[in-house]
Each structure stands twice: as structure tokens, then as C-alpha cells.
Amino acid sequence: MKDFYKQSVEDVCSHLGTDPDKGLSSEEAKKRLEKYGPNELAEKKKKTIWRMFFSQFTDFLIIILLVAAGVSILVGESVDAILIMIIVVLNATLSTIQESKAEKSLQLLKKMAAPMARVLRDGIVQTVPSREIVPGDIVILEAGNYVPADGRLIETVNFSVSEAALTGESQPVEKTTDLIDQENLPLGDRTNMVYSGTIVSRGRAKAVITSTGENTELGKIAKLLSEMEETQTPLQQNLEKLGKQIGMIILAICAVVFLVGIFEGEPALEMFLTAVSLAVAAVPEGLPAVVTIVLALGMYNMVKRHAVIRKLQAVEALGSVNVICSDKTGTLTKNEMNVVKYYLHPSIILDQEQIKSQKSEHIEKLFMGAILCNDSFITVKNGNRVTSGDPTEIALALAAMDYGFDKNELEKRIPRIHEIPFDSDRKMMTTVHEFEKKRLSFTKGAPDVVIKNCSKYMAPDGEIKVLSENDKNEIEQANMKMAQDGLRVLAVAFREIGDDYSELEKDLVFLGLMGMIDPPRPEVKDALERCRTAGINVIMITGDHKITAQTIAREIGILSENDMVLTGHELIEMDVEDLVKVVDKVKVYARVSPTDKLKIVEALKKKGKVVAMTGDGVNDAPALKKADIGVAMGITGTDVSKDASEMVLTDDNFASIVAAVEEGRKIFDNIRKVVYYLLSCNISEVVTIFVSILLRLPLPLIPVQILWMNLVTDGLPALALGVEPAEPDVMKRSPRDPKEGIMSKEIMTNVFIGGTILSVLTLFVYSWALLEHDQIELLRTMVFFTLCTGQLLHSLNSKSIKLSLFKVGIKNNPRLLIAIAGSFALLLGVIYLPILQNVFGTTNLTGKQLVVSLIAAIMIIPLYELVKVIRYRKKE
Ligand code: ATP
């Protein structure tokens, strides 16, 4: 069947073999998934392992090294040259393995962030990954959803879709279910169809899926769309810059080494190989790659803690977050609502049990409103209730069902014919129903908003009376009382209505208040305490009533004596500048609209804060974008909010934000440690060789030794440092200044100090050896052994930039110990195994020589401890 827009809903459904009220059966959906394939577009071809491998050889220095090695082979120095090539290949292999591992974690993350869709299957509304949608599925679309595949609309309420992605039209298009009898209509005019990749901007709809994956309109043009470029994070860019700067210095030094060597009468080719090997070993061209690996591994860890990072750069910003603005409902609280109190006017307060035991027209009407003015789905499966939808609405419906109503039966008997959907800005919702030939509307929403629109109330005897100002005050008092108990309160009202819907929410008849509890998440208190010690300010933002918000904020410890609470009303009166003046004192924003959130972020950012902000709705998107870290809710959040965010919480839990901040700080620390370690080792090699040359000593290391050292020390210990557990004070220090780069002056100074100490120790051994012996192989072996061991041990110093190794301990990262032990064993192999002695130009060390070298190498630990004491003890 083509041109579904020209067919009636019935024809389309029967053609696709589906039931608009029940959807497909799960088995049928499974069969179709096999037949039609997953609902996704072919991905851009991934880089193959071979391409990754060969791209390692595009580095300029590596090419020079390979050329130089080739030349050596030609002039007959083949053993050395072949070995150089082997090491270069090994190095490339190691980098390839790392890169593909990082790539895999990134792919996995992408999968985790994959969109979900709501479908009707087996008569139950369920959430499934969008890729499992098949033709014939009945999908439910709401504001903020991405349309998962192409479909014909079968039910719409105030429904409009933004199709800019497909048609370029920026204005949302109003959609209906009406059949269109016109040939060759352009996509933009097919107003009874929805298309994959477009976004629901308003309302609600049901659609039957007509095509999926590559067969969708988006699939047809997907080849024209270029995939989003993977951009480098600022950290990676900075490091690349830093790497280049350091690289230039090292290259200059290598050139000097080469020239001085020639001047001293060393053979030109050997000198050239040495200089180039030194350059290859010491130029930190691999820095950005290491960072990517640590970032990717870190992101992977975060997933375990329920935070999915969507953009790599967010990891860096996370470490410097100093304000978290969190929604209350569902993030700080459990979002497990339960109606516990009712207020009926005048002056009747009932609890759950009490209301159940009373039967009256009044109470029935209240519950009818609660159930009919409601978008949640509740079905009974094997005697259990299966719910889906907004927890507030689920709670209202369940309360009514407990009273004795059958939701599905009632919805059929009193069908909905019109509605004004709920919207966080309006804070109420209205539905119109046909009942016994009459039209009836129900409105529910925030009490202050609903009561304003009421002119009458229903009394317990069923009589409808005029609502005086006095009555309104009384209801407001009751509302406050409930709010003081931390309850979330909704008012329900109704009215009879004619054909004219323009006054739908005016002149309402007040029915009652329903108060529900939503207990705080138990883990939140601890998470807030961690924020306090970590210097992170937590602010609660909620659409709920001021008093409810205050009560909950006090209970969990966000609000104390001198803190301020602002409401949406007060915010409207202020501009950003006014807000900046008080923003530091405000801990709770109540009854705010999503649009106010933007103002709050702006004010905080003007104060120089690094802000994480949560959000779930469509209207939250601008604030999420503006925040340094937009945090979307994985369960309740709309696709639009997720798209605007840097991070998605898979459990909607505040504690997961704090966990992510902790991970972010840890990752930043670890990258710093790795970079610190690599650079100080590189410096130690350069300084050792440079000083030897300047002192007119024989070359202390030969090219293969330099390259081997670089491969082994840079390889395993550096990677192990990248997965260091968090330092004990990670959440006890203030957030990092966002302006402070990864390699601050302070850290660079440390790099030079660390590198120089290593070289001094090595040169000390070299001089000692020179006094005692004159066999050049032996001298070099001692230098090689000392420097390698010293570098391996220096990885322990790098476990913390500031804290003493004794405070951090060595046992918390067994991988590092294994890496050190493994590398050390390899080192002994290179020195003592006869066949390796031949290729690496090494020779047996006597016990005495070994002990002297070892003592010198071990000295790096106490000496660096001393540096930490001198540099950091005072500051503490
Ligand atoms: P948070 O920002 O902490 O998630 P919230 O969920 O309470 O706050 P909204 O969903 O914007 O914020 O709700 C604002 C107010 O609107 C609520 O206090 C409630 O009175 C009312 N309300 C919430 N949900 C509905 C609904 N489905 N229908 C009618 N009114 C609602």
C-alpha cells in the first residue's frame, strides 16, 4: 500500500494487520522485527582495526624513525634497525588495542543513550527501544517525543509536530487524523502522517506505524545527512596544544643532541638514530589518545553509577560543577505518589480509609474527575496492576480505583471528546466528556490556579453552592495545611458545558483537594552531605507549592534557617540582574515554570558558577542547554530534554548526579596523573641524555633501549594510572576552578622537578659506574636499569599529585602493582636473557651493581615525598 495519507484509518490498520485498540501481539512484533529488520538507519562505516593500526604510522616522527632504520639496514646495521621496527610495530599494536577498546566503550554508550518509544502491544502500553518498532505497531506520542518511525495518525489531541529536520519548515505543523484525497502531496502537507526524526511539539496522539528504518522518509534522505562530526573536547585540544609545545622543545633538544654528538665524533647515523628515537620516545604525541581512553573508560564507569554522558566534554565540566539545580519531584523524591488526604469543602478532612467508607454523589464526582481527567494507563495483568504514565496521575487514578471505579470501563462509558493538556506553565489540565447526552468538563491542577477559576463548590450533600471569598480562603488554608505536611496537592473541579469551549476553564465547580505523599529518596541525604563537603551548592527547583517545597527541602536538609525561598511569582518581578544579587542565598525555587529555570541558570552563571541543571520536559530544553551540565531524566524525560543535555540519569536519581560529579573529579585527576607521569618520564630521558652529551660522556642509552623504555613504562603503568580509584579527599575539596587547565603551572613545575630528580639519580649511577668500570655495555645497562626502575616506581608517586603516597596507599590499585611488577620482570629479561642481551646491547649486572642501581631508583620515592611535603604541607 502506498500513500497511506489517502487511506482511512481502518483501511491502513487492516492493511497492516493491527488492532488500533490493542496493538500487535508481542509474538507478532517479534516476527515482524525479524522480517523487516530493526528500526534504525545504517551507521557510518566504522574505522576498521587495520585502519586504526596503520594510522599509527602517519606520525611524522615515526616515519623519520622508520626511514632512519631503513637506512641503517642498508648500511649493514640491521640488528638494531630491525629491532627498532619491531618496537615501533609493537607500539602501534598497543595503541590500536587501546583505541579500539575506547571506541567500543563509546559505541556501547551510544547504545545506552538510544531512544525509547511507547507502544501499545498485547493491549498494554509499554516502553520499548525505538529500534524494535515494527510496521503495524501502535505508538503513543506526546509533547517532547521524537517520532520513532513513519506512521498514519489514528487519534490526535491538540497535536502538532515540528518537522524541521525533514522539511526545513521551522513552524510546528498542526496534525489531525482526517483523510486527505489529493495526489502527490508533498510531505509537509500530509497532515495525517507523522515522520521519523520529527519532534512532537504539543499535544498527544496515537499513530499506526507504516514504515520503519531505511524505508522511512528520513531513511531515504539519510544518505544526504552528514553524521555529526566527532569534535575534540577542550581538554583534548589543550593537551594537543601542550603536546605540540613540549614536542617543539624536545625536538630542539634532540637537534642539539645530534649536533653535539656529531661534533664529539660519534658516528652520524648512530647519532641520528639516537636523536630520532629520543624524539619519538619523548615527544608526547600520544597525549590526546590517552585522554580519550581515560575519558571513555570513565564514562563507562559512570554508566554503572546510572549516569550516561552524551558528550565527552561533559566529563571535564562535571569535575568543576559547584552548583546543582535539581528538580524535586522524582529526582530528590521517589516519585512514588500515593494519595493520603482529601479535603472537601467546607471543613472536611478525610484520610484514605475514611473516604472509602463513605458513599456520596460528591465523592464519586471527585473520583470521576480524578480518573477521567487523566492520561495514565492502568491495566490489570494476572491480578496485578500495570501502570504507565505520570506518577501524579497514576496516584489519582489508583485512589479512584481503590474507591471502586473501573478506569477502563469509565473511560468507555464517558468518552473524552476534547481536552487541554497539562502543561507545567499553566499547571492544570482539562478534559471534556460526553455523559448522558450532556457535556461535562473536568479540570485538575495546582489548587491556587484551579480555585481562582472556581465560582461554585459542591457541598457534601451534592448541592452546588456559590463559592465566596471566605470559602476560597478556607480552601487555601486547607491547602496550606496539607502542604505543611509535605503533601503535593491537586484540586479537582468540574462544570457543565455547551458547544462553546472558549470558557472551558472558567466558572468551575470546586470538588475537592487531593493530597499525596512522595517520600524523599533515602539516598538523597547522604548525597547532599557529600555535596556539602565537596563545596557544591544544591538548589531545589519545583513546580510544587512553596510550603510543600519548603517542608521537603527542610526534611532532606537543603534548606536551613537563613536561606531564602523564591516563588515563580516573585521571579517574574525580577530581571536577571536583580536575581544575581540574591541568587547565592536562595535554596528553593517553588511554583516555577520551566521558563524561569533559564533565568536562574543565567543568574548563577553571571555569578561565575558552573551549573548542573536537571530537567525533563520540552520547555526545560533552553535551561538545560544553557547550563554547563544539562541533566535529563532517563525514565521520565522527554527526548527533547535528553537531546539538550550533556548527561542522562538512567534512574532519575539526584544521588546519581553526585556520583557522576565524583567520577568526573576522579577522571580529571586520573588524566592529570597520567599526563604528569608520562611527561616527567619523558623529561627524565631527555635530561639524562642531554646532560651526558653536554658533559662529553659517551651516550648513556642506545636507540632500542630508549624505545623499549618508552613502550614499557608508557604502556602498562600509564594505563593503570588512568584507572586509579578516587583519592580519599575527592569529595572533600572545593570544586576545581574551571579556568584551571589540566596542566597548570603548578603541575608543569612538578613535572620538571620529578623528571629532573629521576635524571639526577640516573646520572649519579652513571658517574659511579664510570669511576669503577669502562665497559660501555655495562655502563649503559646500569643507566638503563636505573632509569627504567625509577620510572616504574615514579608511577607510584604519580598516584596523587599532592597527597603523600603513604596516605593514598599502594594497595588500592592492584592493576598498577601488576603493571609495575610485569614491566620489571620484562626489564630483568632484557638485562639477563642472553638472546635479548644481544639485541638490546645489555649485559649481566653483578649483585653490587644491581643494588647500587636499585637503591638509586628507589630513592625517587622518598625524594618525591619530600617534594610533596615542601610544596603542599604548608598550603594544607
Ligand atoms: P518538579 O519540577 O520538581 O518536577 P513538579 O513535577 O511538581 O516539580 P510540575 O510537574 O510542573 O512540577 O507540576 C506543577 C504543579 O502542577 C504541581 O504542583 C501540581 O499541582 C500540578 N500538576 C502536576 N501534574 C499535574 C497533572 N498531571 N495534571 C494537573 N496538574 C498537575
Side-chain angles (χ1 to χ4, degrees), residues 492-677:
V492 183
F494 83 104
R495 70 168 289 178
E496 286 180 11
I497 189 105
D499 292 337
D500 179 13
Y501 291 162
S502 59
E503 303 264 278
L504 209 51
E505 289 175 335
K506 293 263 148 62
D507 242 352
L508 303 174
V509 183
F510 175 77
L511 283 169
L513 300 178
M514 298 172 78
M516 52 194 98
I517 49 164
D518 177 16
R521 290 177 179 268
E523 56 279 33
V524 158
K525 259 195 183 159
D526 178 52
L528 283 168
E529 177 56 25
R530 295 165 70 73
C531 288
R532 204 184 54 74
T533 58
I536 300 168
N537 186 11
V538 179
I539 295 172
M540 178 198 271
I541 301 185
T542 176
D544 233 331
H545 196 278
K546 179 175 176 178
I547 307 286
T548 310
Q550 256 173 343
T551 308
I552 307 243
R554 272 211 194 94
E555 196 181 320
I556 56 182
I558 286 187
L559 189 70
S560 42
E561 261 333 289
N562 298 322
D563 298 328
M564 263 175 85
V565 179
L566 276 186
T567 64
H569 272 302
E570 290 159 322
L571 271 179
I572 290 178
E573 306 287 310
M574 305 166 95
D575 58 20
V576 176
E577 293 306 327
D578 298 329
L579 187 56
V580 167
K581 286 181 206 138
V582 293
V583 77
D584 276 337
K585 296 198 199 91
V586 186
K587 286 291 196 148
V588 174
Y589 293 87
R591 271 286 185 261
V592 292
S593 318
T595 35
D596 299 325
K597 281 187 171 178
L598 188 62
K599 207 187 253 178
I600 299 171
V601 181
E602 276 170 352
L604 285 167
K605 288 193 78 167
K606 276 222 163 119
K607 272 257 159 176
K609 308 286 183 197
V610 181
V611 187
M613 161 79 83
T614 69
D616 47 14
V618 190
N619 306 344
D620 288 332
L624 289 172
K625 274 207 184 113
K626 182 91 199 176
D628 298 279
I629 303 275
V631 183
M633 301 297 134
I635 305 171
T636 56
T638 53
D639 298 334
V640 173
S641 65
K642 288 178 195 167
D643 241 23
S645 300
E646 273 76 25
M647 182 163 107
V648 179
L649 302 180
T650 53
D651 62 351
D652 291 11
N653 189 342
F654 173 78
S656 306
I657 309 177
V658 184
V661 169
E662 181 178 339
E663 283 291 324
R665 288 185 174 196
K666 183 181 98 184
I667 292 170
F668 194 88
D669 282 355
N670 286 355
I671 290 177
R672 221 175 217 181
K673 290 171 197 173
V674 174
V675 176
Y676 166 77
Y677 175 60

Side-chain angles (χ1 to χ4, degrees), residues 729-747:
D729 71 339
V730 69
M731 289 301 265
K732 297 205 173 78
R733 47 174 133 108
S734 320
R736 173 173 53 86
D737 180 351
K739 281 190 234 90
E740 179 189 317
I742 189 121
M743 285 285 108
S744 52
K745 254 204 200 109
E746 170 202 332
I747 309 263

Side-chain angles (χ1 to χ4, degrees), residues 26 30 37 47 49 68 231 279 298 388 440 442 459 465 551 613 648 669 723 764 839 841 847 852:
S26 306
K30 217 177 191 177
K47 218 172 165 185
I49 287 280
T231 46
S388 143
L440 195 63
F442 286 105
K465 297 184 172 162
T551 308
M613 161 79 83
V648 179
D669 282 355
V723 294
F764 168 78
V839 278
V852 171

